[in-house]
Amino acid sequence: MTASQRPVVLITGATAGFGLATAKKFAQQGYPLVITGRREERLKALSEELSPLTSVYYAVLDVRSSEAVAEFTNNLPEAFKQVAILVNNAGLALGAEPADQAKLSDWHTMIDTNVTGLVNVTHSFLSTLKAQPSSTIINLASIAGNWAYPGSHVYGASKAFVAQFSRNLRSDFAGTGIRVTSLEPGMAESEFSLVRFNGDQDKYDQIYQGANAIQPEDIADIILWIAEQPAHLNINSLEVMPTSQAWDNFKIVKK
Ligand code: NDP
Ligand code: 8X3
């Protein structure tokens, strides 16, 4: 496939972390890109950086608003309308306290972003994706959706939704050109933990120091690999951890 034949890639949450690295990775391969997020100055700078490599359209988009998502979808310029690779990446965790100490507003924000936001964008592009000879949805779930750990409550549950939603989409679209993947990373170094701990740089440093965590570029490589599998193959789910991370014992709380 020559660069001019590459399908359009839409990435949500391209202003940082996985989304940013994925935009760069696909741009290096010449894929036309639609990049979105809430921070316009970052989108503009990224668009300027990548424009020598490929065609880029950026739009400020808060995925939590179904109205904004519909308007964004309808207003895509003609050259970018035929989205064939959707990377549903925008998401966040807020807090890691036990459930009874968590803020209800944080729970709502996680559900609104990780569940409602992802559903908004997916629904808005299904007819476009179905019209393509081959298309791919890559949803960012997490190990937190597969395994329980203290302080994960709503975050982990929102990612369990993403994993099951991905499987259910697979079920609906079996035999069509639409492929769906639930990508489930473990600990990765990005702004994610700054957001989770409300900008606390000390906590961020403690978490990542010596952990040799996954880097956003590792995830970008995996996303490109998934998207470039032959059309007859669907990567259903892919869980990846840093080598330094693994499961521990079940806890037993004795009286
Ligand atoms: P970052 O915090 O580095 O990036 C998150 C991105 O999501 C930003 O671009 C942010 O952009 C965007 N975003 C957040 N809220 C919204 C919103 N309401 N509307 C649109 N965009 C939004 O995190 P990561 O790159 O690490 O995480 C990306 C995804 O991967 C998330 O879904 C996360 O849950 C998941 N994940 C992360 C892991 C990790 O350890 N880092 C591990 C497993 C999964 P902006 O603020 O400009 O809107
Ligand atoms: C983020 C991974 O392990 O911090 O999705 O919950 S973890």
Side-chain angles (χ1 to χ4, degrees):
M1 194 185 291
T2 65
S4 63
Q5 295 167 324
R6 299 234 193 269
V8 177
V9 182
L10 164 59
I11 303 170
T12 65
T15 57
F18 300 170
L20 176 69
T22 302
K24 289 185 179 179
K25 179 64 62 180
F26 277 87
Q28 283 156 12
Q29 304 303 318
Y31 286 84
L33 284 182
V34 180
I35 52 173
T36 68
R38 292 167 301 174
R39 286 171 285 182
E40 182 164 20
E41 65 293 350
R42 289 198 182 194
L43 291 170
K44 188 167 180 288
L46 183 60
S47 160
E48 282 166 7
E49 182 187 333
L50 301 183
S51 287
L53 299 172
T54 189
S55 52
V56 185
Y57 174 75
Y58 77 85
V60 173
L61 178 66
D62 187 329
V63 295
R64 291 173 293 180
S65 161
S66 57
E67 292 82 11
V69 169
E71 197 184 328
F72 157 75
T73 309
N74 294 334
N75 291 337
L76 272 178
E78 209 48 50
F80 295 93
K81 270 199 187 308
Q82 299 307 316
V83 170
I85 299 173
L86 167 59
V87 184
N88 269 322
N89 166 73
L92 79 178
L94 294 172
E97 309 82 2
D100 58 322
Q101 291 164 34
K103 286 192 202 148
L104 181 59
S105 59
D106 284 348
W107 283 7
H108 283 159
T109 304
M110 287 188 275
I111 294 168
D112 291 348
T113 310
N114 302 350
V115 176
T116 308
L118 184 137
V119 162
N120 286 341
V121 176
T122 304
H123 192 267
S124 202
F125 281 92
L126 281 183
S127 55
T128 303
L129 291 164
K130 208 168 172 186
Q132 310 305 319
S134 172
S135 57
T136 312
I137 303 172
I138 300 169
N139 291 328
L140 263 296
S142 167
I143 59 162
N146 301 348
W147 313 101
Y149 66 85
S152 174
H153 35 79
V154 167
Y155 177 67
S158 74
K159 293 302 185 179
F161 174 93
V162 174
Q164 186 64 10
F165 182 55
S166 305
R167 284 188 285 267
N168 290 341
L169 288 176
R170 276 280 291 127
S171 214
D172 279 351
F173 295 125
T176 74
I178 305 184
R179 307 185 293 182
V180 188
T181 300
S182 171
L183 177 54
E184 298 153 6
M187 181 197 221
E189 190 169 350
S190 71
E191 283 180 15
F192 175 84
S193 292
L194 269 185
V195 173
R196 185 170 208 170
F197 298 114
N198 201 18
D200 187 330
Q201 187 66 46
D202 286 343
K203 265 193 185 163
Y204 178 95
D205 294 341
Q206 274 167 29
I207 286 168
Y208 294 117
Q209 207 165 39
N212 210 356
I214 297 171
Q215 296 301 307
E217 294 71 25
D218 300 323
I219 297 298
D221 283 339
I222 292 170
I223 290 175
L224 182 69
W225 178 80
I226 291 169
E228 290 195 338
Q229 288 306 298
H232 68 287
L233 295 183
N234 191 105
I235 306 299
N236 296 339
S237 61
L238 195 160
E239 185 180 83
V240 54
M241 288 180 182
T243 312
S244 60
Q245 187 177 34
W247 306 270
D248 206 342
N249 280 341
F250 286 116
K251 67 180 168 195
I252 300 166
V253 183
K254 295 188 176 169
K255 299 223 174 192

